Amino acid sequence: MTKIALFGATGTIGTRVLHEALRRGHEVTAVVRDPARFPDSAGGATAVVRGDVLDPASVAEAAAGHEVVVSAFGPGSGDPAALVTAARSLIGGVRSLGTDAPAPRVVVVGGAGSLRTPGGPMVWDEAGFPAPVLALMHAHGDALDFLRTVPVEEVRWTCLSPAAQIAPGERTGTYRLGLDGLVVDEEGRSRISTEDFAVALVDEIERDAHAGRRFTVAH
Ligand SMILES: NC(=O)c1ccc[n+]([C@@H]2O[C@H](COP(=O)([O-])OP(=O)(O)OC[C@H]3O[C@@H](n4cnc5c(N)ncnc54)[C@H](OP(=O)(O)O)[C@@H]3O)[C@@H](O)[C@H]2O)c1
């Protein structure tokens, strides 16, 4: 059993991570901006506390007493640069807990834009993305660039990028792994259900297999 603090527990991905972690017997503290709005249907969390992933002091308060901090934060229609602020805040908040106890690990949900396609270019260099999506992709890339400056001896961080397409669907419990390259199927598509993405993320919580690096999963 691992004690997990989860930012973004009300979101599309965070809800699935919450359910997947709970079904495997982990203790999950849902860290939400407004506990009063946390829907019962998405609940079952071991505890629900108020927190802001953009504020390092709030991250430290929420992270204390947990072994892993997960961020499924998304900026919605707000400024994509908040993804970089969140990454800095997560690391800064965890670092500020000091060295008396082992620092919680940090697992961040990233983006697919910075993955390399089998043909060579980055996903974000492929044609056709609207400007807001491109901005989100590059903000995820900037957040990853920041995480890569953090020595794992200080904070054991991991970034998990979804497949190019991720949508709620079936929990098969299976997926294929990649590192910095987009994982595609025989037809060249890169897809994962949100449920299986959550399986992979909780597998990473349990296995600690990708400390200090980004990885990706797809069907
Ligand atoms: N293929 C891809 O690359 C891909 C596809 C999908 C998603 N993603 C990424 O995955 C992440 C999650 O996506 P999603 O679709 O699950 O997002 P979502 O449904 O919009 O959920 C975002 C979550 O962030 C929370 N949040 C917003 N501001 C916060 C703050 N200041 N402090 C704490 N929590 C805050 C929201 O809580 P409230 O309830 O308070 O609003 C919500 O729980 C995003 O970063 C997204 O860009 C990538």
Side-chain angles (χ1 to χ4, degrees):
M1 189 277 294
T2 301
K3 292 184 176 176
I4 301 163
L6 172 62
F7 286 90
T10 62
T12 306
I13 291 178
T15 302
R16 273 75 180 181
V17 172
L18 173 65
H19 290 161
E20 182 64 29
L22 290 172
R23 73 183 270 167
R24 295 204 214 171
H26 299 298
E27 281 187 12
V28 187
T29 300
V31 190
V32 302
R33 287 189 290 183
D34 183 0
R37 285 200 303 119
F38 194 61
D40 289 344
S41 58
T46 314
V48 180
V49 301
R50 184 184 302 276
D52 181 355
V53 75
L54 304 178
D55 174 2
S58 181
V59 169
E61 192 179 342
H66 295 84
E67 295 157 273
V68 181
V69 179
V70 176
S71 174
F73 160 74
S77 56
D79 184 356
L83 287 162
V84 184
T85 307
R88 290 183 176 279
S89 173
L90 285 158
I91 298 298
V94 164
R95 264 187 179 141
S96 74
L97 291 173
T99 53
D100 289 348
R105 290 160 50 207
V106 173
V107 179
V108 177
V109 176
S114 59
L115 295 166
R116 193 165 292 284
T117 67
M122 312 292 270
V123 170
W124 60 38
D125 288 331
E126 294 193 314
F129 293 111
V133 175
L134 267 179
L136 199 62
M137 287 177 166
H138 282 281
H140 271 299
D142 292 344
L144 177 59
D145 285 346
F146 162 71
L147 289 171
R148 284 175 165 153
T149 68
V150 177
V152 287
E153 297 75 25
E154 291 180 20
V155 179
R156 286 182 78 78
W157 65 269
T158 303
C159 178
L160 175 51
S161 287
Q165 292 174 34
I166 175 169
E170 190 186 351
R171 180 192 186 280
T172 70
T174 62
Y175 55 82
R176 290 179 300 138
L177 283 167
L179 292 172
D180 292 316
L182 189 71
V183 177
V184 298
D185 62 21
E186 312 76 53
E187 282 135 29
R189 295 170 306 192
S190 171
R191 302 190 296 188
I192 187 114
S193 66
T194 315
E195 286 71 11
D196 281 338
F197 181 83
V199 169
L201 195 146
V202 177
D203 283 348
E204 179 63 23
I205 289 173
E206 294 177 349
R207 296 172 189 166
D208 190 16
H210 296 92
R213 66 180 316 161
R214 178 264 297 278
F215 71 109
T216 184
V217 291
H219 283 146

